[in-house]
Amino acid sequence: MNYKGKMLQDNALKGQTIVVTGGGSGLGKAMTRYFLELGANVAITSRNLEKLQGTAKELETETGGICLPLQCDVRHYDQVEAMLKNTLDKFGKVDGLLNNAAGNFISPTERLSANAFDTIIDIVLKGTKNCTLAFGKHWIDTKQEQSVILNIVTTYAWTGSAYVVPSATAKAGVLAMTRSLAVEWAKYGIRSNAIAPGPFPTKGAWDRLLPGDLKEKFDMSKKVPLQRVGDHQELANLAAYLISDFSAYVNGEVITIDGGEWLKGAGQFNLLDQIPEQMWDMLEQMIRAKKSK
Ligand code: COA
């Protein structure tokens, strides 16, 4: 099965400018690479300019596209406004915003300081709000015909999750923002959608979320009905589709790409997949015997 293949036709994003927050590494970098391959200009942002410059250079060489590294802490609105201005100065316009920058601490909630909780809310919820508001105001003021916001959330945005409570709280807010603005800003030609990825291992997040031998102890692929983790290109394919004009009628949607992971945890009888085939024969006989009494 060729799930690592590239989905969209050549030049699907030709002439578009896209900003990817947190684009210097991990999943943000993977999505940026594919946008560049499809002909887009991409500005990548994070706090670490040196890392961004390295990534931009690497991706430009690899793809032949133009990648602009811009230092920006999304927690600060003035930095977001400056980032938008720098993007416009370089490319003349911007068409897409991918709110990908995130932070997460895995921890019992009572061990977190108030500042630690705030730090995650500020990056994920306030950072997404800052970028969305600045870009939205710009698109509305300049009467740009078409533009698109894509937010990276998580499946625990709607289920909640123990031990990542600030992240769950913030992502739930981002999902509400996605759906709200999909309706409110549609009249300005701004679409808003979200992706909820399941396990897509990256060095940075994975080492932080599951340090030491936790990675081996909690083999994420075992939690997934399809029994594997995601490949970065699968996520990049979906993101490129949602940014591209091919998804022009998709608005206010959250698309889960997790191999069925969250539903496996949700279904009341899902644990029964541990019952071997022979035991089903026995169980069926027992159930049928009860019925006939
Ligand atoms: N568990 C609990 N609290 C933690 C923590 C941890 N692992 N790491 C830091 N904190 C606390 C700090 O002690 C501090 O609180 P305090 O002032 O009350 O002591 C607060 O969180 C802020 O820490 P600080 O290091 O100043 O945060 P920062 O703003 O520099 O960076 C992150 C925060 C999340 C961005 C940073 O850890 C990071 O770069 N992470 C990598 C990105 C990431 O998390 N990606 C995952 C995406 S899913």
Side-chain angles (χ1 to χ4, degrees):
M1 190 180 30
N2 179 23
Y3 60 82
K4 296 182 184 180
K6 296 177 183 182
M7 185 175 91
L8 293 191
Q9 62 195 46
D10 288 351
N11 294 324
L13 298 178
K14 186 95 193 144
Q16 298 217 27
T17 298
I18 299 154
V19 169
V20 179
T21 68
S25 57
L27 299 179
K29 182 177 172 184
M31 291 185 279
T32 298
R33 177 185 291 110
Y34 193 40
F35 296 166
L36 289 165
E37 285 174 353
L38 291 169
N41 299 317
V42 186
I44 52 174
T45 83
S46 79
R47 291 176 301 172
N48 186 339
L49 184 60
E50 217 175 298
K51 187 158 103 185
L52 287 174
Q53 286 167 334
T55 298
K57 212 168 155 199
E58 178 193 328
L59 294 183
E60 284 191 341
T61 311
E62 217 178 290
T63 65
I66 302 175
C67 186
L68 175 69
L70 292 174
Q71 188 168 33
C72 172
D73 186 335
V74 292
R75 290 175 282 190
H76 303 292
Y77 194 71
D78 54 342
Q79 292 189 30
V80 169
E81 285 187 305
M83 176 268 280
L84 171 60
K85 184 176 178 309
N86 285 326
T87 305
L88 294 170
D89 287 348
K90 169 81 177 173
F91 297 117
K93 65 165 182 133
V94 61
D95 307 279
L97 167 66
L98 173 49
N99 283 307
N100 165 74
N104 204 351
F105 302 137
I106 187 160
S107 173
T109 307
E110 69 277 13
R111 290 173 61 109
L112 294 173
S113 70
N115 186 43
F117 206 120
D118 283 350
T119 299
I120 303 308
I121 299 281
D122 284 353
I123 297 170
V124 176
L125 181 54
K126 198 170 141 189
T128 302
K129 176 274 291 179
N130 282 342
C131 295
T132 302
L133 193 61
F135 281 62
K137 281 173 183 285
H138 164 72
W139 285 324
I140 293 166
D141 287 349
T142 57
K143 299 190 167 48
Q144 181 154 324
E145 249 173 59
Q146 299 294 332
S147 47
V148 58
I149 298 167
L150 180 58
N151 296 322
I152 303 298
V153 295
T154 157
T155 53
Y156 60 68
W158 55 89
T159 62
S161 176
Y163 304 107
V164 284
V165 170
S167 170
T169 309
K171 294 285 193 184
V174 172
L175 183 55
M177 200 189 318
T178 310
R179 290 175 167 151
S180 306
L181 290 176
V183 175
E184 190 180 326
W185 282 357
K187 59 179 175 286
Y188 301 117
I190 304 171
R191 289 188 297 124
S192 297
N193 290 298
I195 296 178
F200 281 83
T202 60
K203 178 115 190 62
W206 241 230
D207 284 355
R208 280 173 49 80
L209 291 174
L210 298 172
D213 63 356
L214 278 186
K215 266 191 292 298
E216 282 72 54
K217 284 203 174 111
F218 295 94
D219 180 354
M220 285 290 186
S221 62
K222 294 209 178 99
K223 286 180 68 220
V224 179
L226 289 175
Q227 294 183 340
R228 66 172 176 87
V229 294
D231 183 83
H232 288 194
Q233 186 60 39
E234 296 180 281
L235 181 65
N237 284 339
L238 179 57
Y241 165 70
L242 289 173
I243 288 279
S244 78
D245 292 347
F246 293 112
S247 62
Y249 204 49
V250 182
N251 187 30
E253 189 52 85
V254 53
I255 299 186
T256 300
I257 177 163
D258 75 341
E261 183 202 27
W262 87 267
L263 282 169
K264 181 171 179 176
Q268 194 167 30
F269 291 97
N270 288 353
L271 276 179
L272 298 184
D273 66 359
Q274 287 168 25
I275 292 184
E277 197 59 32
Q278 324 80 284
M279 204 184 280
W280 278 118
D281 292 340
M282 223 172 71
L283 286 172
E284 187 179 335
Q285 274 171 22
M286 283 163 68
I287 295 163
R288 282 181 187 277
K290 265 219 154 72
K291 243 172 76 183
S292 59
K293 272 187 193 158

